[in-house]
Amino acid sequence: MPDAGCRRNPCEEAVVIGRGARLFAGAVVVACVVLVGPSGPTGAPLADPPPVKSAGKVVPNRVMTWNICNPCKAANADRAAEIAAYAPQVIGLQEACVRDVEEIRRRLERAHGLVYHVEYGTVLRNWNRCGGLPWRPGAYGQAVLSAAPMTDLVHVEYPDGGSEDRGYMAVTTAVGGRPVRVFNTHLAERRQGAVRAEQTGVLAAAVARHDRAIVLGDLNAVPASFELTGIRALAADADPRCRPSSTGACEPTTDWQSKFDYVFLRGVVPLGHEVHPSPYSDHHLLHTDLDTS
C-alpha cells in the first residue's frame, strides 16, 4: 500500500515488483515524505508560539516608552500583547499612526482586559506611513495611553523638525494615584544633533514649569550627547547607572545597541526599570516603576 503521505500524487504509481522495484518504491516514498511531509502526528503543522502572557491588570506606578517603528508593518495584535505583558499605567508611543493606536487600544481591552484612555500628538499626515486615501492620509506622531483620565493636553511641533516634522505632547494624569505631568517626544534623527539641541531647549522650558514631571520618548541621542544637557539639568534618568560619564553601564534600547529611549523624572523617584527587546520594532520597550509615596 502506498504511504499515506503520498496519496493523490505520483507516488501511487510506484509498483512493488521484486527487490529492485521495492528499493525504487522506497526511495520514491522517502522523496514523497520530504515533499509532502510525514503522515500521522509527526506531520501535524507546527503550533504557533505561545502568546505573551498578559499581566492581567494595570500596574498603577509603571510608565513605559516605546517607539513602535513605522513602517515596520508589525501586527497590532502583537504590539498589544507586548504592552499587555507589562501593563503600565502610562504608555508613551512614538512613530505612531492613529489607526494603529486605535487598534492597539481595542486589542488591549478586548484581548487582555486592559482599558486605556488615549491622547494624540500628531505632527504630520502621511499616506505612505499611515494609509488612508491620498487626499485624506492618516495622522502620524506621538500618542499617550493612560489607565487614568488625562487632562490639559498640549501638543507642540518643534520650530525645526530636522528631516521630518517632530514635536512633543503633554498631559496631566495620575500615576500611582498622584497627579503628574507626562511629556512624550520624538527628537530629530541621529545625525542632526544641532537640531535636537534646539528641540530639547523647547521641551526643557515646558518641563521646567512643573515640579512633578515624567519625560518619555525616543531622543535619538546617546546618554553623553550634548543636546541632552538641558533635560538632564531638570530631570534625572530613571536608570541611576546611566549617566553621561558612564562607560558601558547604559543598557541599549535599540537593535543597533545604542540607548536612544529614555524615562526622565522630575520630582519623582524611580524604584526600578527594565528594557525588553521586541521582534516587532527596532526599538525595545522600556518601563520604569515609580515610588509614588
Side-chain angles (χ1 to χ4, degrees), residues 32 94 143 198:
C32 291
Q94 304 89 42
E198 294 179 3

Side-chain angles (χ1 to χ4, degrees), residues 24-254:
F24 173 73
V28 174
V29 168
V30 170
C32 291
V33 170
V34 171
L35 292 173
V36 179
S39 61
T42 58
L46 293 175
D48 291 334
V52 178
K53 185 177 180 180
S54 173
K57 60 181 180 179
V58 166
V59 181
N61 66 329
R62 178 171 293 171
V63 297
M64 172 187 285
T65 183
W66 191 21
N67 181 322
I68 59 176
C69 186
N70 183 290
C72 281
K73 307 300 183 186
N76 288 319
D78 294 328
R79 288 167 167 162
E82 291 278 276
I83 293 169
Y86 313 108
Q89 171 78 17
V90 174
I91 308 155
L93 300 178
Q94 304 89 42
E95 294 196 18
C97 294
V98 168
R99 289 185 181 90
D100 288 334
V101 176
E102 289 173 343
E103 180 62 21
I104 290 169
R105 186 172 169 235
R106 282 194 293 268
R107 294 275 185 172
L108 285 167
E109 181 173 359
R110 296 175 183 175
H112 305 283
L114 302 173
V115 179
Y116 288 96
H117 304 267
V118 64
E119 296 287 0
Y120 296 98
T122 296
V123 294
L124 59 87
R125 295 185 180 275
N126 190 298
W127 178 62
N128 288 329
R129 280 188 181 274
C130 296
L133 300 172
W135 57 91
R136 193 179 179 184
Y140 170 84
Q142 286 76 248
V144 171
L145 282 71
S146 176
M150 292 177 278
T151 61
D152 304 319
L153 169 66
V154 171
H155 168 218
V156 175
E157 288 194 36
Y158 295 123
D160 184 358
S163 55
E164 180 181 84
D165 293 349
R166 296 290 164 93
Y168 76 83
M169 60 180 297
V171 297
T172 298
T173 189
V175 177
R178 297 188 63 189
V180 65
R181 193 67 171 164
V182 176
F183 294 82
N184 181 23
T185 191
H186 187 193
L187 300 186
E189 293 180 354
R190 69 183 79 175
R191 295 178 180 87
Q192 300 172 341
V195 176
R196 288 196 300 275
E198 294 179 3
Q199 294 171 348
T200 53
V202 173
L203 178 61
V207 173
R209 301 187 189 108
H210 302 274
D211 294 332
R212 286 171 47 83
I214 300 170
V215 181
L216 309 172
D218 172 7
L219 305 190
N220 271 321
V222 296
S225 299
F226 75 95
E227 59 265 33
L228 301 185
T229 303
I231 295 295
R232 288 190 179 280
L234 296 168
D237 193 320
D239 182 355
R241 301 169 304 169
C242 192
R243 297 290 183 263
S245 59
S246 301
T247 303
C250 300
E251 191 169 0
T253 65
T254 65

